Amino acid sequence: MLILLVLPFLGSLISVFLLNTLSRTLPSWAAGSVTLLCLLIAAAAYPTISEGEVLRFHAEWVPQLGLDFTLRMDGFAWLFSVLITSIGFLVVVYARYYMSEDDPVPRFFSFLLAFMGAMLGIVLSGNVILLSVFWELTSIFSFLLISYWHNTAAARDGARMALTVTGIGGFCLLIGLLLLGNIVGSYDLDKILQSGDIIRGHSLYLPALIFILLGALTKSAQFPFHFWLPNAMAAPTPVSAFLHSATMVKAGVFLLARLSPALAGTYEWFWIVGAAGIITLLLGAYFAMFQQDLKGLLAYSTISHLGLITTLLSLGSPLATVAAIFHMVNHATFKASLFMAAGIIDHETGTRDMRRLSGLFRFLPITGTLAMVASAAMAGVPLLNGFLSKEMFFAEAVETHADSILDRILPYVATLASAFSVTYSLRFIHTVFFGPPPNDLPKEKPHEPPHWMRFPVEFLVVCCLIVGIVPAISIGPFLHTAVVSVLGADTPEYSLAVWHGFNLPLMMSITALLGGAALYFVLKDYFATCEDGPPVLRRLKGQRIFERILVEVSWRWARMAEQRVGTRNLQPQLRWVVATGFMAGLLPLYLSGFETRPFVFSGVDPTFAAIWLLGISLALGTAYLAKYHRLAALVTLGGVGLIVCVSFVWLSAPDLAITQLLVEIVTTVLILLGLRWLPKRAEGLDEKITLRARFRRFRDLALAVGCGIGMTFISYAVMTMPVPDAIANYFLANAYSEGGGRNVVNVILVDFRGFDTLGEIAVLGVVALTVYALLRRFRPAPDSMDMPEQQQIQNRFDEERPERSAGDTVRDYLLVPSVIMQWLFPVIITFAVYIFLRGHDLPGGGFSAGLTLSIAFLLQYLAGGTRWAEDRIRILPLRWMGAGLLTAAATGIGAWFLGYPFLTSHFQYIELPLIGKVPAATALLFDLGVFSLVVGSTVLILVALAHQSIRINRLRAIEAEKGKEA
């Protein structure tokens, strides 16, 4: 089962390495092999699943928080796994012929396989927090797939809308699942499903239900969140066939069915889910009739059918759940085939506008026949699969479930919506394939596509026929396995027979078929000439409403908030941060009844006091010089850092001292490089101090003094109070026996608190990427564009002498230092390796070693300049960062394969020839990941700052060339 989940992601990575492949064949074969193998793996599990067993895989992640990597496959998950992998395979075959040679096909298959893996993660998750992770991954990969043709505005807008709506829904779902786990006391799906009575009787049931339903309804495009799905039709047709008929939009109704044993059966469930489902069922069908775009019609019909499934799940009866699961499968088969047929029509004619399409049956007879059968299944014509599940829907619609207005109107809404479905299905067939030959098509002579492009449609249409004619034999066993896994002992007796006699559901079907056909022929002429969209509601466009809300929230409200509380000055921002930190520290002391202790002066070492007096003086000097003398302020700030470093040495904290020293070196150099591009100090400022300025200064002084006194209090309390029986004692006692190292600080970072460190290095990587992105877009102030005055004087000196050229003076000044810095390069690399290898037992480690190696690269840039350094050293910081993060994560994942929680370390002594026993710990690999990411992040920021000079020189050259031309 783990292989089934991991395989699509591996296939996605393989497709990335085929990006330079121009042919569609190799990426298609690779993706097809992966999807087919996944299908075979899922199918092979059926004998075990059919016996009622549940396949499980469990790996502990953070067991103390209930966060485990748990996979479970029961009958319902198996059915969806087969649905996802089988239609995924067919879509890959179809896409091989649909995609153009000019498209980056490997990128397409990479995104498609990654999405398939995320979708499999949703249906196989046995932990609801893990489910929410895969849930958001489907939103991200669907965004990438919808925006695949990102050169078009429709694709970009549709992808942004889909990501915004489903992303917000996913966040709501996470909140709801956290509440659900809080109610049950576990995030394990099995325990949640067994705790239905506890959940429904809890005071947090309604908030949890609302948040979970927000996630499900947004994903399945249910009212009022239905508007994103039609706009997602800007995606390539294979994406629509996979995501928007069989997988992504089914995730919401899958979740409703999966959690129905724990959440359904209440009045709140019936009203919220039922109202959304009924409105969506009717509204989607009504909108679908008046669409002029083939995919638009299919999109709104998908919304309507998802509303049908949602309505069934709202009823809370076992038979309704059976009908809902059955229709999930039926809808996926006929709708995927219809999307592919629409793609063939678009591929062969160059348009999807039904006002331009007619009489295509004479050109596409096989495709037309297949589309007719699939459309008939969508309309609910007898002897097709759609008829069976729609009959079950009618049978449930006429039953009384909650004796409410929704219950009473449901039979009429169901019949009316089904009539609309007949109308848009008939319109799809009659308008496109019958009538006079088409005129003015973008492609003049349409013809049948290659056979293998049509094969997926043929296969799915045959499935519609087989299930419609012999349902008990074809789909019956699989459906029963899925239903039992959801309902358990409540599984009802039901029949999949084609004929149930003359009854009310049959009369409703006949009424819908006849009424829908009559409605089409009455409105046929209007359909042929009307604008896109339904009458009355034509101007009510979801995209327009969404964009207005987005503008209101992200621009107007944000601008208003910025005007009220925001500022571009750093000082007010720091004031808010410091004040918030001060209150965060003061509030717990106030609430817990802080007691003062008598101050006992026990003497102080004169040397230590002198060191701190020097540090205080430097800190005050930094504050005084910061505004007008930046370089001097940076020098004094570096002195403060060195005083802190000496303090750590004095207080026996060598690890902290080494780290502080290295951080001080790196940050000082990087800030020094950045100072060059800050605006110059404005001369002639009004030195008059107003009353408001005095108040601001005294306020800031009071805040600084208050925070300083507070930190002094805390430090004094920590150093004078008796040491409690804290977790530090555990670390000291178990660092060597459990972590295999004598350097307790390093063992804590890479072993005991390795999960925290993994998060911290991920944040460091994100920060480095953000800084790099900002600096790439950074344009310095005009007064910073010119060369520094000292450099101008030196260049003039060089240019006045024929034997010299501009820059010789600078090179002369740096001749000896640059040679020393270049010679130090291998020495510092060796020292970095030494610091790294000793870190588990002595002061050092991956972070310190990474900073040390970064200093080596910094010196090379300082010694020879950006171009000189990059001509000789190929660093590739992004690869360092990626390799580091993957190495650290792989170290944690490796523990799973041995049956231990994530990031569990192991150490032992290994025998080396001529050396003897050497201690070895898996935490060393994790530390290697930290080392690599720190190097990559630091050098990435260095590169961003260094390239600023190159861009400025390029701009100067362009301006000089323009000056000569003028």
Side-chain angles (χ1 to χ4, degrees), residues 14-23 26-27 104-107 879:
I14 292 172
S15 297
V16 171
F17 292 107
L18 300 176
L19 285 177
N20 295 325
T21 303
L22 298 179
S23 173
L26 183 58
V105 176
R107 179 161 63 90
R879 295 191 181 182

Side-chain angles (χ1 to χ4, degrees), residues 5 50 157 226 415 421 432 448 468 481 512 515 581 586 604 771 791 800 839 919:
L5 178 61
S50 62
D157 292 342
H226 61 284
T415 306
S421 73
V432 174
E448 287 288 354
T481 303
L586 182 63
V604 64
V771 171
Q791 190 174 351
E800 290 172 357

